[in-house]
Amino acid sequence: MQSTDLGNKESGKIWHRKPSPATRDGRTSIHQLFVERLLCAKDASKCWGRRRNKTHFRFSGVLWSLHIGVIIVNIIHNTSDYHPKVLRFLNVAFDGTGDCLIAGDHQGNIYVFDLYGNRFNLVQRTAQACTALAFNLRRKSEFLVALADYSIKCFDTVTKELVSWMRGHESSVFSISVHASGKYAITTSSDTAQLWDLDTFQRKRKLNIRQSVGIQKVFFLPLSNTILSCFKDNSIFAWECDTLFCKYQLPAPPESSSILYKVFAVTRDGRILAAGGKSNHLHLWCLEARQLFRIIQMSTKVRAIRHLEFLPDSFDAGSNQVLGVLSQDGIMRFINIQTCKLLFEIGSLDEGISSSVISPHGRYIASIMENGSLNIYSVQALTQEINKPPLPLVKVIEDLPKNKLSSSDLKMKVTSGRVQQPAKSRGNKIQTRILKQDLTGDFESKKNELPDGLNKKRLQILLKGYGEYPTKYRMFIWRSLLQLPENHTAFSSLIDKGTHVTFLNLQKKYPIKSRKLLRVLQRTLSALAHWSVIFSDTPYLPLLAFPFVKLFQNNQLICFEVIATLIINWCQHWFEYFPNPPINILSMIENVLAFHDKELLQHFIDHDITSQLYAWPLLETVFSEVLTREEWLKLFDNIFSNHPSFLLMTVVAYNMCSRVPLLNCNLKDDFEFFFHHRNNLDINVVIRQVYHLMETTPTDIHPNSMLHVFVALTKGQYPVFNQYPKFIVDYQTQERERIRNDELDYLRERQTVEDMQAEVDQQRVEDEAWYQKQELLRKAEETRREMLLQEEEKIIQQRQRLAAVKRELKVKEMHLQDAARRRFLKLQQDQQEMELRRLDDEIGRKNLTENQAAVAKEMRADADAYRRKVDLEEHMFHKLIEAGETQSQKTQKWKEAEGKEFCLRSAKKASALSDASRKWFLKQEINAAVEHAENPCHKEEPRFQNEQEDSSCLPRTSHLNDSSEMHPSTQISLNRRAVEWDTTEQNLIQKVRNLRQRLTAQARHRCQTPHLLAA
């Protein structure tokens, strides 16, 4: 492993000696090395026998002593300042070719590494750490870098200048995804994702989300216009790039293996999505079926998955099978997702990997190590044990030595695969030599050698033995047979020219259901038309290219070069009679058919069937209409492995193998149907017949003598294709241009006429609408007039009814006024009567009051006389006590007891009589007040007389029996009680008066209210 320290250098070599004998495409040709060893064998002193060279090549064991390391180069960056330190690489990204990569360190230094040119250059100093890189833009020299200040900048690696500066993120950008066309880019941060137009460097759309749901990753699916957005809640949505319409959402993963997705990877064809997180489970989603179809459980050493990436392969048609899984221990394990087997791994516990990127063509792996260095791995060396080629069919037998040896001394080895040195005995020196072929054989061997260590003759032998190539290696073998150069730059220049005007409306003539397939077909045909102008006028080119486009739709470069190689070699002389079918080619087919099956040819002639009907449809569609996919692939395994004349012989063999149904056809329509539809024919029989025709056809009519041998496409730039009558094509181009201009003029004039006609129609419609509107207005006016007349009649009738109602109301009003007048007079009369009754009540009340006052005065006079009498008796009693103190105590006590008893009895009687009189008087007053309140307007004269009568019947408190005989102390207590009774009596009388005054006021108010209402 070589190690390179960048130091303070701005440019230099990555390595000083190329680490492996890799070719331009990064793959070592094993067969070339084998041939080189055989050539070295001519000089035995250089190979073995003489050990002067340190480099010793053996023909057993390893192929060469110079070991090709797994790590091509280890790149470190140490500063040579006063305090040296290591600058750690943070991000790395490959360009579209896979031979260049850019890497940025934590100080903002960005380097470009050209692995093919063995150079590195410092292209920019950003002075801040880069968080993401992208190097596959439409302009190949430009790249995007996301910086720590949340901005994205675009730089040019050639001019080293700033192209654009994009802002809009509020957090660190950790992902940049570029569209396959290089026109759009998506930058992703934790809170938002933004879609940028890289032509104008303006933001087109912004994905806003809730704060509770963060973004894991948003990226483009390869070779499509679909955007995949993955969120932290495991929801995955697919959006259309142009309209941002949500196409679908993947369902939630099962609860048995539910993990929070952190990392994602998609195959090149965009069909399989791999997702992983903090678990050793790996989920594989089928994006076409939109369902989880496989769960892979990694080893127990894997606890979390940090990065996922598929390993591309040029021959898997984009359906990548090898997935790289970087776990928490820093080891990246590559597994086959179909067989679930571990293929190889990179990194170790001591030298862990932080992140990895795989080149688009799958030749290199760039890994940033945990110590900050950058390792470049060779995928070829990693997969050397996996992709071992099959053992060769050549077996080398060693000659006997010239000197005589015993059977025990001579050891001969017959090996399969590589030429080996015979074993030597210790006693005798054995001389060996390799069976040499003549110069012709060497030339043929060199001519049959193919890239990638394959041999054409051996492939032909294998093909004759098995009838077809293995499906797994078919694309690899085809690529080697056709010797495709893979001119990425030249093909990109053709694609960048855009869609050719001839194929703008391709879908109208060839309505293909799959939009992707139609788009790839349109691009491929446009690239062919830009390559040579003849193909823009070739009507059968879509039919010729369609089967290859359908087969290589995920690799447009291979598809284009396969079709171009087919046209240059197997379509020779097809365009000499353009725009007519190739008469010369059809004549060759007819001559061969005439030699091998005259009866069938005579049948064609008898029914006026020419070679343009029984040969040309098969050629222009390359048998795609009459064969199934498997049959077609098997046929082209043989076509690509043989001389270009094999295709013409296949046409003859197809007719000869179908001679029975063809001889039964008599109508031209039947022949046309036969050569444009699939038939019940064994393709193996046809292929055997082709080989028979190739061997038995005479040389003078054999197409082999009239067609050139196979010529591969040139590397770097595609060859010029001018094998057609240029004047016809130019004339057709001029005529087509003239017709196009005339058609444009006609279209403009027709558009003008249509505009005028549209204006006239619009005017006519407007006039018609105006007339209709006027007619509607007239009818509406008539309707309104009729409605007005009806409304006037209704108003007259209503007025008449209103007049009648007014008369009735006037009469009723007069009656009501008369009744009200009578009621008012009666009310006044009633009020006068009420007033008279009130006056009578007042007079009676005054008389009652005067009577009550006289009674009270009399009662007070009696009480005063009684008090005076009591005082006098008390005075006399005291005198008697003083005078009769000498009397007997017993007599005095007896008298006192009798006196007290008599006084008590007298007091009780007087108190009872007084209470009875007061209660009776109070009851009479309350009843009178109630009756007066209920009937305030009635006369009170009878009541007043009754009161007088009752008052005259009241008992007198002065009618006391034996008052003179009371004891003095008893008289004192009676005087006190009389005072209290007088006070109580006065209070009751006052309350009764107040009550009668209130009731009288209320009655007067009630009597005055009707009088006011009548007024």
Side-chain angles (χ1 to χ4, degrees):
M1 177 185 68
Q2 298 189 34
S3 181
T4 301
D5 187 1
L6 302 182
N8 292 331
K9 295 182 291 184
E10 294 187 358
S11 63
K13 291 185 177 182
I14 302 176
W15 53 75
H16 297 285
R17 186 179 64 178
K18 202 165 186 179
S20 64
T23 58
R24 171 72 172 94
D25 58 358
R27 288 184 297 274
T28 304
S29 176
I30 299 175
H31 188 74
Q32 289 179 355
L33 293 173
F34 182 71
V35 172
E36 290 175 1
R37 302 305 179 268
L38 290 178
L39 293 176
C40 290
K42 295 181 180 179
D43 189 358
S45 63
K46 293 181 180 179
C47 290
W48 59 76
R50 295 173 60 186
R51 297 179 176 259
R52 297 178 180 177
N53 263 337
K54 295 293 183 182
T55 304
H56 176 66
F57 296 96
R58 293 183 293 116
F59 286 91
S60 62
V62 297
L63 290 177
W64 56 89
S65 61
L66 178 62
H67 177 66
I68 302 176
V70 173
I71 302 178
I72 298 176
V73 64
N74 171 251
I75 302 172
I76 58 176
H77 190 189
N78 295 327
T79 59
S80 57
D81 298 335
Y82 181 75
H83 295 288
K85 60 180 179 180
V86 177
L87 299 183
R88 305 178 73 256
F89 287 103
L90 298 180
N91 289 281
V92 63
F94 279 95
D95 66 348
T97 63
D99 291 331
C100 287
L101 61 92
I102 57 173
D105 57 25
H106 69 274
Q107 284 193 352
N109 301 314
I110 300 177
Y111 290 87
V112 173
F113 297 94
D114 185 0
L115 301 180
Y116 176 68
N118 190 21
R119 299 289 299 176
F120 73 87
N121 289 287
L122 177 65
V123 295
Q124 197 57 235
R125 297 181 188 270
T126 61
Q128 52 183 327
C130 64
T131 58
L133 291 171
F135 197 23
N136 51 349
L137 279 62
R138 176 182 292 184
R139 292 172 289 275
K140 305 304 179 184
S141 61
E142 295 179 358
F143 66 92
L144 295 175
V145 55
L147 301 175
D149 61 353
Y150 312 152
S151 65
I152 302 101
K153 293 184 179 180
C154 180
F155 295 102
D156 193 296
T157 58
V158 178
T159 61
K160 300 182 180 180
E161 295 179 353
L162 176 66
V163 178
S164 180
W165 192 351
M166 297 174 286
R167 289 183 175 273
H169 283 277
E170 297 180 355
S171 58
S172 178
V173 177
F174 56 79
S175 173
I176 301 177
S177 177
V178 182
H179 190 264
S181 63
K183 185 178 180 181
Y184 303 109
I186 294 178
T187 56
T188 308
S189 60
S190 60
D191 56 351
T192 184
Q194 301 184 12
L195 177 64
W196 303 87
D197 187 346
L198 297 184
D199 291 337
T200 61
F201 293 100
Q202 298 293 325
R203 184 176 65 189
K204 290 189 63 179
R205 294 293 180 90
K206 180 179 180 181
L207 176 63
N208 294 318
I209 60 170
R210 298 194 304 267
Q211 294 182 356
S212 59
V213 181
I215 299 177
Q216 287 290 6
K217 192 174 184 180
V218 180
F219 55 94
F220 287 102
L221 290 183
L223 304 176
S224 69
N225 285 333
T226 303
I227 300 175
L228 214 63
S229 60
C230 310
F231 301 96
K232 291 184 178 180
D233 60 354
N234 276 14
S235 58
I236 300 175
F237 294 86
W239 312 82
E240 183 67 31
C241 175
D242 299 329
T243 61
L244 291 183
F245 173 76
C246 183
K247 299 172 66 176
Y248 58 85
Q249 178 186 1
L250 294 182
E255 296 182 357
S256 60
S257 180
S258 179
I259 58 175
L260 290 177
Y261 294 152
K262 297 290 185 181
V263 290
F264 306 88
V266 182
T267 56
R268 191 177 180 185
D269 58 2
R271 296 181 179 178
I272 298 177
L273 170 68
K278 291 185 178 181
S279 172
N280 64 345
H281 284 194
L282 191 64
H283 288 188
L284 298 181
W285 292 85
C286 179
L287 298 182
E288 290 182 343
R290 302 171 190 174
Q291 64 181 358
L292 182 68
F293 73 94
R294 184 167 298 163
I295 299 176
I296 299 177
Q297 183 177 0
M298 302 294 292
S299 64
T300 56
K301 299 178 181 178
V302 178
R303 296 191 303 272
I305 298 175
R306 295 165 53 184
H307 183 69
L308 293 173
E309 191 158 359
F310 280 96
L311 180 63
D313 192 346
S314 301
F315 306 105
D316 57 7
S319 59
N320 310 131
Q321 304 297 319
V322 180
L323 176 63
V325 181
L326 178 60
S327 56
Q328 85 290 340
D329 55 2
I331 299 175
M332 191 167 188
R333 299 168 175 85
F334 288 83
I335 61 173
N336 189 304
I337 61 175
Q338 296 297 331
T339 61
C340 298
K341 292 183 178 180
L342 178 63
L343 303 180
F344 58 90
E345 59 184 27
I346 57 177
S348 62
L349 297 176
D350 297 332
E351 296 181 358
I353 297 175
S354 177
S355 63
S356 290
V357 179
I358 303 177
S359 62
H361 50 51
R363 299 170 191 164
Y364 305 110
I365 301 175
S367 299
I368 297 178
M369 312 305 290
E370 292 180 350
N371 58 8
S373 63
L374 178 63
N375 282 0
I376 308 297
Y377 293 89
S378 171
V379 178
Q380 173 200 355
L382 291 169
T383 59
Q384 185 175 4
E385 295 296 328
I386 303 172
N387 298 329
K388 283 185 177 181
L391 296 176
L393 300 177
V394 177
K395 300 181 185 301
V396 180
I397 300 177
E398 300 175 355
D399 290 341
L400 292 171
K402 293 183 179 180
N403 55 344
K404 294 181 180 180
L405 296 174
S406 63
S407 59
S408 60
D409 293 335
L410 180 60
K411 296 180 180 180
M412 183 181 67
K413 293 184 178 180
V414 180
T415 60
S416 173
R418 302 176 180 85
V419 180
Q420 295 183 351
Q421 178 182 358
K424 300 179 182 180
S425 63
R426 296 182 179 180
N428 297 324
K429 183 178 180 180
I430 304 175
Q431 296 181 359
T432 61
R433 64 184 180 89
I434 299 175
L435 297 177
K436 297 182 180 180
Q437 300 177 349
D438 55 2
L439 296 177
T440 305
D442 293 340
F443 177 75
E444 290 293 333
S445 177
K446 291 181 181 180
K447 185 174 67 173
N448 292 325
E449 294 301 327
L450 299 174
D452 304 312
L454 300 180
N455 185 279
K456 189 174 183 179
K457 286 296 183 182
R458 297 175 184 173
L459 292 176
Q460 288 176 349
I461 296 171
L462 180 66
L463 183 62
K464 287 183 179 180
Y466 292 96
E468 61 179 337
Y469 292 129
T471 304
K472 183 178 180 181
Y473 300 104
R474 176 176 279 120
M475 300 299 104
F476 172 74
I477 295 173
W478 281 17
R479 178 181 172 183
S480 298
L481 288 171
L482 300 179
Q483 302 178 25
L484 302 181
E486 297 187 28
N487 297 327
H488 293 272
T489 305
F491 179 70
S492 298
S493 64
L494 294 176
I495 291 295
D496 291 341
K497 294 180 179 179
T499 304
H500 199 274
V501 293
T502 308
F503 306 108
L504 286 175
N505 299 321
L506 183 66
Q507 67 276 7
K508 294 181 180 179
K509 189 175 181 181
Y510 300 97
I512 301 175
K513 184 177 181 181
S514 174
R515 294 180 59 188
K516 176 184 177 182
L517 190 60
L518 177 63
R519 187 165 56 250
V520 175
L521 178 62
Q522 195 176 35
R523 290 178 182 175
T524 305
L525 296 178
S526 300
L528 291 170
H530 291 310
W531 176 42
S532 180
V533 69
I534 184 65
F535 300 124
S536 62
D537 300 326
T538 305
Y540 56 86
L541 185 63
L543 300 175
L544 180 71
F546 179 74
F548 297 99
V549 171
K550 191 172 184 180
L551 186 63
F552 298 99
Q553 57 181 320
N554 294 318
N555 196 333
Q556 299 179 32
L557 171 64
I558 300 298
C559 177
F560 171 81
E561 292 187 350
V562 168
I563 297 173
T565 305
L566 177 72
I567 292 173
I568 290 177
N569 293 279
W570 283 271
C571 299
Q572 298 179 36
H573 310 295
W574 279 28
F575 306 98
E576 293 180 357
Y577 293 90
F578 185 82
N580 300 315
I583 306 300
N584 49 352
I585 299 297
L586 298 179
S587 299
M588 296 180 192
I589 296 174
E590 188 172 356
N591 292 335
V592 176
L593 182 61
F595 178 79
H596 291 283
D597 198 338
K598 294 181 180 180
E599 182 182 359
L600 181 59
L601 180 60
Q602 187 62 40
H603 180 71
F604 288 154
I605 295 172
D606 293 342
H607 294 85
D608 198 17
I609 303 300
T610 63
S611 57
Q612 295 185 16
L613 186 58
Y614 67 80
W616 183 236
L618 301 177
L619 290 176
E620 66 179 358
T621 61
V622 287
F623 293 89
S624 61
E625 287 185 348
V626 297
L627 298 178
T628 63
R629 175 185 174 89
E630 290 74 16
E631 293 174 346
W632 188 86
L633 292 173
K634 186 180 296 185
L635 174 62
F636 268 85
D637 285 344
N638 292 273
I639 291 175
F640 286 154
S641 301
N642 289 279
H643 193 269
S645 61
F646 193 89
L647 179 62
L648 305 183
M649 289 297 189
T650 306
V651 176
V652 178
Y654 188 85
N655 281 272
M656 292 177 63
C657 293
S658 305
R659 67 189 312 274
V660 175
L662 289 174
L663 290 175
N664 292 328
C665 294
N666 296 321
L667 298 177
K668 188 175 182 179
D669 293 340
D670 296 340
F671 287 102
E672 291 181 354
F673 182 86
F674 184 86
F675 289 105
H676 285 280
H677 293 79
R678 294 177 183 175
N679 304 289
N680 187 13
L681 189 64
D682 188 1
I683 192 62
N684 296 319
V685 176
V686 176
I687 293 174
R688 287 196 296 269
Q689 183 66 27
V690 174
Y691 282 109
H692 176 71
L693 295 177
M694 292 286 289
E695 295 175 357
T696 59
T697 303
T699 307
D700 53 346
I701 62 173
H702 200 295
N704 192 5
S705 60
M706 304 173 191
L707 300 178
H708 301 294
V709 295
F710 174 80
V711 178
L713 295 177
T714 56
K715 197 170 187 61
Q717 294 293 333
Y718 295 115
V720 177
F721 185 82
N722 55 2
Q723 299 175 8
Y724 57 88
K726 192 173 183 301
F727 67 94
I728 294 178
V729 175
D730 293 342
Y731 175 75
Q732 284 191 347
T733 304
Q734 294 174 2
E735 285 296 313
R736 189 177 293 104
E737 189 66 26
R738 183 183 62 79
I739 294 171
R740 185 180 292 108
N741 294 331
D742 294 343
E743 186 177 359
L744 291 175
D745 295 339
Y746 166 73
L747 290 175
R748 282 194 293 269
E749 294 177 359
R750 189 176 71 177
Q751 185 65 30
T752 304
V753 172
E754 289 178 354
D755 294 340
M756 294 175 63
Q757 184 65 31
E759 292 179 359
V760 171
D761 295 340
Q762 183 68 21
Q763 187 65 35
R764 185 173 66 254
V765 170
E766 291 178 356
D767 294 343
E768 187 68 23
W770 186 81
Y771 284 120
Q772 291 179 359
K773 187 176 181 180
Q774 295 298 322
E775 183 67 20
L776 292 174
L777 290 174
R778 185 183 62 78
K779 292 181 179 180
E781 185 177 358
E782 292 178 355
T783 305
R784 295 295 186 278
R785 287 177 181 175
E786 294 177 357
M787 292 174 63
L788 288 175
L789 291 175
Q790 294 176 1
E791 291 294 333
E792 289 178 357
E793 293 178 357
K794 291 180 180 179
I795 291 173
I796 292 171
Q797 294 176 1
Q798 290 177 358
R799 285 178 180 175
Q800 293 176 356
R801 289 194 296 268
L802 183 60
V805 171
K806 284 183 178 180
R807 288 193 296 270
E808 293 178 358
L809 291 176
K810 193 68 176 176
V811 173
K812 289 182 180 181
E813 184 179 0
M814 293 172 65
H815 291 306
L816 290 174
Q817 288 178 356
D818 189 18
R821 191 180 297 110
R822 289 194 299 269
R823 289 178 62 186
F824 181 69
L825 293 175
K826 185 180 179 183
L827 181 62
Q828 285 183 346
Q829 186 179 357
D830 294 339
Q831 287 179 353
Q832 290 176 0
E833 293 177 357
M834 187 184 300
E835 186 68 22
L836 291 175
R837 287 195 298 271
R838 186 182 64 79
L839 293 174
D840 292 340
D841 292 339
E842 286 292 332
I843 292 170
R845 190 179 300 107
K846 287 181 180 180
N847 293 331
L848 178 63
T849 304
E850 290 177 357
N851 295 330
Q852 290 177 355
V855 171
K857 185 176 180 181
E858 185 178 356
M859 291 176 67
R860 283 194 297 274
D862 292 340
D864 291 337
Y866 176 74
R867 279 194 298 272
R868 284 193 298 272
K869 186 178 181 180
V870 169
D871 292 336
L872 181 60
E873 291 177 354
E874 185 179 1
H875 181 69
M876 292 175 68
F877 178 73
H878 283 292
K879 285 182 177 182
L880 290 174
I881 293 173
E882 290 176 359
E885 289 181 354
T886 61
Q887 293 181 0
S888 172
Q889 188 70 26
K890 185 177 179 179
T891 304
Q892 187 177 358
K893 290 183 179 179
W894 178 256
K895 288 182 178 180
E896 287 179 1
E898 290 180 353
K900 288 182 181 180
E901 181 179 1
F902 178 78
C903 289
L904 290 174
R905 292 176 180 174
S906 298
K908 287 182 181 180
K909 290 181 180 180
S911 177
L913 290 174
S914 179
D915 291 338
S917 63
R918 287 191 190 91
K919 288 181 181 179
W920 179 87
F921 179 75
L922 181 61
K923 183 178 180 181
Q924 291 296 324
E925 289 297 326
I926 292 173
N927 291 334
V930 171
E931 290 177 0
H932 180 73
E934 292 177 354
N935 300 309
C937 297
H938 294 175
K939 295 180 180 181
E940 300 179 359
E941 294 177 357
R943 175 178 171 275
F944 180 72
Q945 293 175 1
N946 295 330
E947 288 178 358
Q948 288 180 351
E949 295 176 357
D950 295 335
S951 61
S952 64
C953 296
L954 289 173
R956 301 286 183 175
T957 57
S958 62
H959 298 169
L960 299 175
N961 294 326
D962 298 330
S963 58
S964 59
E965 297 178 1
M966 293 183 179
H967 194 272
S969 62
T970 306
Q971 289 180 357
I972 292 172
S973 63
L974 288 174
N975 290 334
R976 292 175 182 173
R977 290 182 179 178
V979 172
E980 293 176 359
W981 290 342
D982 291 340
T983 305
T984 305
E985 182 179 3
Q986 290 178 2
N987 292 334
L988 289 173
I989 290 172
Q990 185 66 29
K991 288 181 181 179
V992 170
R993 287 176 182 174
N994 294 335
L995 177 62
R996 295 192 66 176
Q997 288 177 3
R998 286 198 302 273
L999 293 174
T1000 303
Q1002 292 178 2
R1004 187 182 297 112
H1005 177 71
R1006 290 174 183 171
C1007 293
Q1008 289 177 358
T1009 303
H1011 177 71
L1012 294 175
L1013 292 173

